[in-house]
Amino acid sequence: MSDAQDPAAEIAALIAEIQRHDLLYYERDAPEIEDADYDALMRRLRALEAAHPELVQPDSPTQRVPGRVAEGFAKSRHLAPMLSLDNAFDEADFHDFTARIRRFLNLAEDAPLGFVAEPKIDGLSVNLLYEGGRFVKGATRGDGLEGEDITANLQTLKDLPRELPAPCPARIEIRGEVFMERADFEAFRAEQQAALAAREARKAAGGKLGPAVTIPVNARNAAAGSLRQLDATVTARRPLKLLAYAMGEASEAPAATHWEWLERLQSWGFSVNPLSRRVTDPAGFQAEMAQARPGLGYDIDGVVYKLDRLDWQQRLGFVGRAPRWAIAWKFAAEQAVTRLIRIEIQVGRTGALTPRAVMEPVFVGGVTVTHASLHNEDEIARKDIREGDLLRIQRAGDVIPQVVAVANPADAERGPPFAFPTTCPACGSHAVRPEGEVVRRCTGGLTCPAQTVERLKHFVSRRAMDIDGLGEERILTLHGLGWLASPADLFRLKHRAEALAGLEGWGGVSAGKLLAAIEARRRVPLDRFLFALGIRRIGEQNARLLARHYRDMASLRARMIEARIIGSEAREALGSIQGIGPAIAAELVEFFAEPRNLDTLDALLAEVTPEPLPEAAGEGPLSGKAVVFTGTLESLSRAEAEARAEALGARVTKSVSKKTDYMVVGTDAGSKAAKAAGLGVAVLTEAEFRAMAGLQIGS
Ligand code: IVH
């Protein structure tokens, strides 16, 4: 729930959201969003921080490198930092790399260098510390300086020597890659899918769920997830491989060249990639590996070239976080052409409509691809992607394939340009795209099945309705049973008290507590209620402004419906509330313009009574008074006058009645003024109103 008028709140929300995705990606190895969407969150956060430097939080994801130490593992500091590699993408890049080395070492332009080439496996690098020839500690790379201590997990790897035969240095760090072979990965994934299906079946039968099951998206994720198990016996059952390729800190130099070092590693019992080679023609080797790639039993995304002479490596050292003596020459992303069957629109948990290409299966980058993200409607328009087109797609070792371009743009037989839907495919509510944003969103937040669980979580959360005892797991259970489809259903759960108590893991006490917590919220302050509705951009602060301004839900509801018409008095009044800008006004109006939302809201209002906020402290002459304006005011607009009166606690109405306390009369006042006089209502001139409202003349 972002709040554009409250950058601090939006920053806090963005940080929480990004941290959640970091956790899913780095620690659970189960990303939920695509990189592009993650990047958009980061961009928004950076923009806000740039505009409000005083709001930059020390824990902001912009202030640190992700890939933190996971909770649950001890930290482990590497003796020598674990570096990354610079990339080369073509022969020219590689040539620059060798020219740099020769310049640095003061060698002739054609001096032979001598490289060792090693396939770059897409796995997880680990640091293995041996002392007195014994394996004493193993860690993930982490941020390069400090990783997670996964000694127990690494000890389960068959490829890892527990002891190094003499002679070996007293202390040495050995580095290598842990990964899963493709066939092992496929089998493991099938196993996980079966486990998930069994879990779903248990869930449907109301039985015990057992531990959560994640389906890894690729071999790298599977390896990472397996290595980061808190229970090492789980790791032991996973088909992990280890290939050694580098050295960290060493008490004495174990070799003079990298090649000798690899031989040394093998003599100690490590596996070294058998495709590693001393090369004189890197470009030739690169081409050879690109060809061999699909037939290898594991995923590689390039070749690492390391200068063979260790004394040269020593002299060259590092620049930034990468060595000058090594480079990763990446393969070009593999491309393929296939037919776009249709564009499917998915609705995310926050209502974002995301288009996805459904394609004829095609083998690319080592996997069969049937889907690709199309990101958003602008992307489709920019690339002019139409259903039935031939698409050139690529997979750069990533999880999600990308659409490069339409392969048949000049084809006369192409279908019509794609019309992006303006209604939500999940619930039929209208889907809108606020000005300046790329994402179109469903406005049926309360009703849309794609968003229900997320909305319910927000609805019951502490700062919203504050209903205790209803975590995500329980919401999912109740939602799955069909007992909880909208917020109003919460208040009807009392009719299922017995069934609730009988649910796995609930019991009478816990069900009773929950029902009591729900009953206690049948009356809530209006601002909490508004915030709980989860209307986009209506955070706590804006909810409070609205609650103060409109006082009760009935007038707010009525005024929002009137405010649909741009230029209407209700819209002007809404826009004139201090703190409510046009973007917020638009979101509010959209929400109330959706009949499905009104139905859901009214169902909820049949159960819950939102209560006006207590009068602001220090009551003034207008607080609690019913005020009507008529005629044209000279010194301020009608909207501003009304907003001012409301801000001071007055209720502004349109028609005069016996209940009216004051009528403010401008010029050209019509029949209302006469009626007011007849009813004995106190009539104020504009000047008198200004005085009462504390407005100075000329201000
Ligand atoms: S050497 C200072 N050799 O690539 C040299 N890395 O971008 C540091 N990798 O984190 C690494 N195969 O996970 C090296 N044969 C290989 C490699 C390799 C894969 C990965 C490793 C590292 C990343 C660096």
Side-chain angles (χ1 to χ4, degrees):
M1 284 342 92
S2 70
D3 192 335
Q5 294 301 304
D6 183 353
E10 191 179 350
I11 285 175
L14 280 166
I15 291 178
E17 181 72 359
I18 291 168
Q19 283 174 343
R20 192 172 75 83
H21 291 302
D22 282 347
L23 179 89
L24 289 167
Y25 183 89
Y26 291 106
E27 267 127 63
R28 305 244 174 94
D29 304 305
E32 250 176 30
I33 57 168
E34 289 176 20
D35 291 356
D37 298 330
Y38 179 89
D39 294 344
L41 292 174
M42 281 296 269
R43 267 201 305 280
R44 174 77 187 141
L45 179 59
R46 278 204 195 92
L48 280 170
E49 288 179 341
H52 307 278
E54 74 284 1
L55 295 178
V56 176
Q57 304 299 312
D59 70 340
S60 169
T62 59
Q63 305 300 302
R64 56 166 180 75
V65 213
R68 292 167 301 138
V69 170
E71 272 174 54
F73 289 106
K75 293 178 182 181
S76 171
R77 227 181 157 70
H78 311 308
L79 300 178
M82 290 181 79
L83 299 146
S84 52
L85 293 169
D86 279 339
N87 293 323
F89 295 97
D90 51 31
E91 213 166 336
D93 290 346
F94 193 84
H95 180 264
D96 290 348
F97 162 67
T98 53
R100 247 187 339 262
I101 291 178
R102 289 196 179 92
R103 266 201 311 278
F104 193 96
L105 296 176
N106 218 358
L107 300 174
E109 256 178 54
D110 53 354
L113 289 177
F115 287 100
V116 174
E118 301 163 2
K120 185 170 188 295
I121 297 184
D122 203 10
L124 237 89
S125 51
V126 292
N127 189 24
L128 312 166
L129 177 64
Y130 287 81
E131 280 175 350
R134 295 181 68 91
F135 173 59
V136 292
K137 193 156 83 159
T140 60
R141 178 169 182 270
D143 64 3
L145 300 174
E146 191 173 71
E148 302 145 22
D149 183 336
I150 50 163
T151 310
N153 296 6
L154 285 167
Q155 265 163 342
T156 70
L157 298 192
K158 287 172 214 62
D159 298 343
L160 184 129
R162 307 300 142 81
E163 301 209 0
L164 307 183
C168 68
R171 185 155 87 155
I172 186 163
E173 284 181 319
I174 290 165
R175 274 116 195 226
E177 200 83 353
V178 173
F179 64 101
M180 226 182 244
E181 290 193 351
R182 237 178 257 148
D184 287 336
F185 164 65
E186 293 300 343
F188 171 62
R189 183 160 63 175
E191 218 173 87
Q192 291 292 95
Q193 266 156 348
L196 184 66
R199 191 174 190 268
E200 293 292 318
R202 285 197 298 275
K203 185 165 154 189
K208 242 191 159 56
L209 287 185
V213 177
T214 48
I215 308 291
V217 284
N218 59 19
R220 189 191 175 280
N221 272 47
S226 300
L227 212 45
R228 287 213 190 92
Q229 292 291 326
L230 289 172
D231 176 358
T233 62
V234 177
T235 310
R237 291 196 298 271
R238 303 281 169 86
L240 296 173
K241 295 261 149 66
L242 167 70
L243 289 177
Y245 52 61
M247 180 177 22
E249 170 91 354
S251 55
E252 61 205 77
T257 63
H258 184 67
W259 187 251
E260 274 173 35
W261 164 237
L262 292 182
E263 287 175 339
R264 203 67 202 277
L265 281 170
Q266 280 173 291
S267 75
W268 285 339
F270 285 97
S271 301
V272 166
N273 195 317
L275 296 170
S276 302
R277 198 126 5 118
R278 270 179 155 147
V279 289
T280 44
D281 172 20
F285 189 76
Q286 189 71 14
E288 202 181 307
M289 282 298 112
Q291 271 225 305
R293 185 184 185 193
L296 299 177
Y298 46 83
D299 293 339
I300 64 173
D301 58 357
V303 177
V304 183
Y305 294 89
K306 300 173 181 173
L307 199 59
D308 198 16
R309 280 178 58 166
L310 295 184
D311 59 336
W312 280 355
Q313 286 192 8
Q314 196 76 33
R315 279 172 60 195
L316 284 154
F318 304 92
V319 49
R321 318 194 71 198
R324 285 195 188 84
W325 43 265
I327 200 154
W329 188 344
K330 296 288 191 76
F331 297 128
E334 249 188 78
Q335 296 196 341
V337 171
T338 185
R339 175 89 49 199
L340 171 63
I341 301 169
R342 65 193 154 83
I343 294 176
E344 176 183 273
I345 308 290
Q346 295 182 307
V347 188
R349 297 195 303 175
T350 56
L353 267 52
T354 312
R356 197 160 85 125
V358 181
M359 304 170 298
E360 283 173 7
V362 60
F363 192 76
V364 56
V367 292
T368 302
V369 165
T370 50
H371 293 89
S373 172
L374 297 172
H375 303 294
N376 55 55
E377 56 186 292
D378 287 354
E379 179 86 354
I380 297 178
R382 196 170 57 75
K383 292 183 176 157
D384 188 20
I385 297 169
R386 309 179 184 194
E387 288 177 326
D389 276 351
L390 286 174
L391 298 183
R392 172 170 303 284
I393 62 160
Q394 73 177 22
R395 199 176 159 273
D398 301 312
V399 183
I400 300 132
Q402 305 161 323
V403 174
V404 183
V406 170
N408 61 332
D411 210 335
E413 312 269 275
R414 291 178 72 199
F418 182 68
F420 203 89
T422 52
T423 54
C424 170
C427 73
S429 295
H430 59 275
V432 299
R433 183 175 164 190
E435 223 179 285
E437 294 192 16
V438 288
V439 177
R440 188 173 285 277
R441 278 174 207 279
C442 165
T443 56
L446 293 177
T447 358
C448 180
Q451 299 171 66
T452 313
V453 169
E454 212 52 26
R455 296 298 176 135
L456 285 167
K457 266 167 59 186
H458 172 73
F459 187 79
V460 302
S461 66
R462 196 174 54 74
R463 293 158 81 165
M465 293 292 277
D466 192 19
I467 295 173
D468 240 5
L470 208 52
E472 177 163 11
E473 191 82 12
R474 284 187 161 189
I475 292 180
L476 281 168
T477 306
L478 298 177
H479 184 250
L481 288 165
W483 299 352
L484 188 54
S486 89
D489 289 340
L490 276 173
F491 296 89
R492 302 182 193 127
L493 281 177
K494 62 177 180 186
H495 304 304
R496 301 186 192 269
E498 252 180 61
L500 277 181
L503 289 179
E504 158 98 31
W506 288 57
V509 176
S510 142
K513 270 193 187 164
L514 172 62
L515 292 176
I518 294 172
E519 285 310 304
R521 306 311 275 166
R522 284 196 184 264
R523 293 185 163 277
V524 282
L526 177 58
D527 58 338
R528 265 184 188 270
F529 183 83
L530 284 173
F531 175 58
L533 294 180
I535 304 169
R536 217 166 155 253
R537 296 181 196 270
I538 305 302
E540 287 170 285
Q541 195 173 329
N542 286 338
R544 208 166 306 121
L545 289 174
L546 293 168
R548 286 219 183 281
H549 186 87
Y550 293 100
R551 304 192 62 72
D552 60 69
M553 193 61 218
S555 9
L556 186 134
R557 185 186 185 286
R559 296 288 275 168
M560 288 306 110
I561 292 170
E562 289 170 19
R564 250 186 109 161
I565 297 162
I566 293 184
S568 64
E569 179 256 343
R571 182 63 168 257
E572 301 276 298
L574 170 62
S576 68
I577 302 175
Q578 189 80 40
I580 304 285
I584 299 175
E587 290 296 346
L588 268 169
V589 167
E590 288 294 350
F591 179 88
F592 286 90
E594 174 53 55
R596 289 173 180 79
N597 285 342
L598 294 182
D599 290 348
T600 310
L601 175 63
D602 292 343
L604 184 56
L605 288 171
E607 307 286 345
V608 179
T609 313
E611 297 185 317
L613 303 193
E615 290 299 336
E619 292 199 3
L622 283 169
S623 74
K625 304 295 185 204
V627 180
V628 175
F629 289 86
T630 187
T632 311
L633 302 178
E634 307 278 36
S635 61
L636 72 175
S637 73
R638 170 79 73 84
E640 188 185 347
E642 290 183 356
R644 180 72 191 175
E646 279 171 339
L648 292 168
R651 227 167 337 109
V652 176
T653 59
K654 279 199 283 194
S655 53
V656 198
S657 74
K658 279 189 298 197
K659 290 188 192 154
T660 309
D661 293 297
Y662 296 115
M663 157 147 291
V664 182
V665 183
T667 53
D668 304 323
S671 58
K672 276 191 201 170
K675 191 175 169 195
L679 287 169
V681 171
V683 172
L684 302 177
T685 62
E686 187 175 341
E688 284 167 327
F689 169 72
R690 290 188 69 99
M692 261 180 149
L695 293 165
Q696 306 302 312
I697 302 296
S699 70

